[in-house]
Amino acid sequence: MLFKDIQGNNIIKKQLIDSVFNDRVSHSQLLNGKCGSAKLHLALAYAQYLNCSSRLKEDSCGICSSCTKYVSLTHPDLHLIFPVIKSNLSKLSISDNFVDLWRDYILNNPYGSLNGWIDILSSQTNKLATGGIYKEEANVLHKKLAFKNYEAQYRVIIIWMPEKMNLESSNSMLKLLEEPPKGTVFLLVSENLDLLIATIKSRLQTIQVHDFTLEDMINYFPHKAKSEILKVKKLTNSSLGKMITYFQNDIEDDNFLENFTLWMRYVYKVDIINISNWVDKMSQIGKVKQRLFLIYATKMIRECLIINLSSNSLLRVNEEEYKFVTKFASFINEENSIPIFETLELTIKSIDRNAGPKILFFELSLQMIKFLKVKSKFVNK
Ligand SMILES: [Zn+2]
């Protein structure tokens, strides 16, 4: 991966490039940043730059033998470590056994989230995974590092989400981070610094990676209108990774409106058969869409409240949504709106924690049946 493909982050790029030119490459570095920031992309571009044989002033050449291997993340001196699952099979729970899947995931979206990766692991085993970096990983790495580099000047070990190391693997990894063999560079890429044990943190030179700016996002999606980027930025909590997934899946708000309207109709009629069918469909659309749908549902309930308060100037709906909201608003009042918001928020959190979507959406529907029956204490107008 190349530095030029990363929007913004110019100070960090310069800092990394200067370290190579000044021969001050620290052997244990940590890039920390929120979900959807450029931390992993920066680490991979830096690793490629370290080993490029025709390095340019501001980027790797992109065509030398080392760069070509780095493009597909298959350089023999690039070791990739990331959370994996404990499998029932006799296979060791180490990254090497999942590396093809991870490469595909990251090459498709270098800002991909940990949750997105865990989803892939879960779908591999048909059970819910939490993912971790286990002691076996550190053992295997100890063995690998006992050998000399294959061909590169720098052997690079990327550890993505080191906060998923347990105490045992952290302690085992610590020995390597303290005294890595000559020519070895550790690049840890984390989201939550506080979860790393202090002795590991103290060994690392930390670089804080900031969120992408709106300008960076506009540059990243040159064919999208600014208004659309703003809308999706808000929906995805400013995570570029989720924005990429959103645009790749071409999720339209119109589908959300139709889906939300149907759902509310079933809920109002207490139509359990159709609710079950709806839940089945929702459980198959994947976590990103499930999450976005719930955010959309929250927005629609909020718009109903706004209509009830007769402050139409604050409405943020299109024509179709307006038609729905004016009819549906009579079911939303000061008594039920807060519990609805809370329940939607709790459901989003449960999705983030990989709870089973079928149970979640069914339970949510039952709650909604109850909430919609709550009448306002005050008589309107
Ligand atoms: Zn090169």
Side-chain angles (χ1 to χ4, degrees), residues 13 38 119 157 172 200 221 303:
K13 285 183 199 170
D119 272 355
I157 293 110
S172 187
I200 290 237
F221 302 107
E303 302 300 333

Side-chain angles (χ1 to χ4, degrees), residues 5-188:
D5 296 330
I6 306 169
Q7 302 301 329
N9 290 285
N10 292 328
I11 295 172
I12 298 177
K13 285 183 199 170
K14 186 170 183 318
Q15 187 183 335
L16 294 172
I17 289 168
D18 285 352
S19 75
V20 181
F21 273 100
N22 301 333
D23 203 16
R24 297 181 65 139
V25 176
S26 161
H27 58 64
S28 302
Q29 305 186 41
L30 173 81
L31 291 102
N32 184 67
K34 279 206 318 219
C35 176
S37 65
K39 55 195 184 301
L40 176 64
H41 205 167
L42 283 164
L44 291 169
Y46 182 47
Q48 179 166 339
Y49 192 68
L50 281 170
N51 283 313
C52 172
S53 59
S54 311
R55 228 177 262 146
L56 307 168
K57 230 171 108 191
E58 292 186 332
D59 221 328
S60 308
C61 75
I63 47 173
C64 69
S65 140
S66 169
C67 278
T68 355
K69 289 169 198 154
Y70 258 99
V71 168
S72 54
L73 305 180
T74 52
H75 196 293
D77 289 314
L78 170 69
H79 302 283
L80 303 165
I81 294 176
F82 42 83
V84 297
I85 39 174
K86 289 258 184 205
S87 73
N88 298 335
L89 309 168
S90 53
K91 279 203 298 192
L92 279 177
S93 304
I94 54 169
S95 305
D96 283 352
N97 287 332
F98 299 87
V99 72
D100 290 338
L101 267 181
W102 192 81
R103 278 195 198 108
D104 284 350
Y105 179 61
I106 294 303
L107 289 172
N108 182 44
N109 181 352
Y111 311 105
S113 66
L114 175 63
N115 281 336
W117 169 240
I118 301 283
D119 272 355
I120 294 175
L121 290 177
S122 300
S123 65
Q124 286 293 302
T125 49
N126 280 326
K127 57 180 183 191
L128 292 168
T130 48
I133 298 173
Y134 304 105
K135 192 167 176 240
E136 294 106 296
E137 192 79 68
N139 294 344
V140 170
L141 190 61
H142 273 276
K143 282 182 197 148
K144 280 183 185 171
L145 297 191
F147 294 98
K148 279 195 174 150
N149 297 5
Y150 283 98
E151 48 191 67
Q153 183 186 356
Y154 292 100
R155 168 165 52 192
V156 179
I157 293 110
I158 302 259
I159 307 182
W160 186 62
M161 306 295 166
E163 52 267 56
K164 294 298 254 177
M165 292 191 288
N166 57 22
L167 193 59
E168 218 183 359
S169 47
S170 294
N171 282 330
S172 187
M173 216 55 103
L174 187 61
K175 293 190 191 102
L176 290 169
L177 287 168
E178 276 172 334
E179 285 176 63
K182 203 171 170 293
T184 301
V185 174
F186 276 90
L187 299 177
L188 280 67

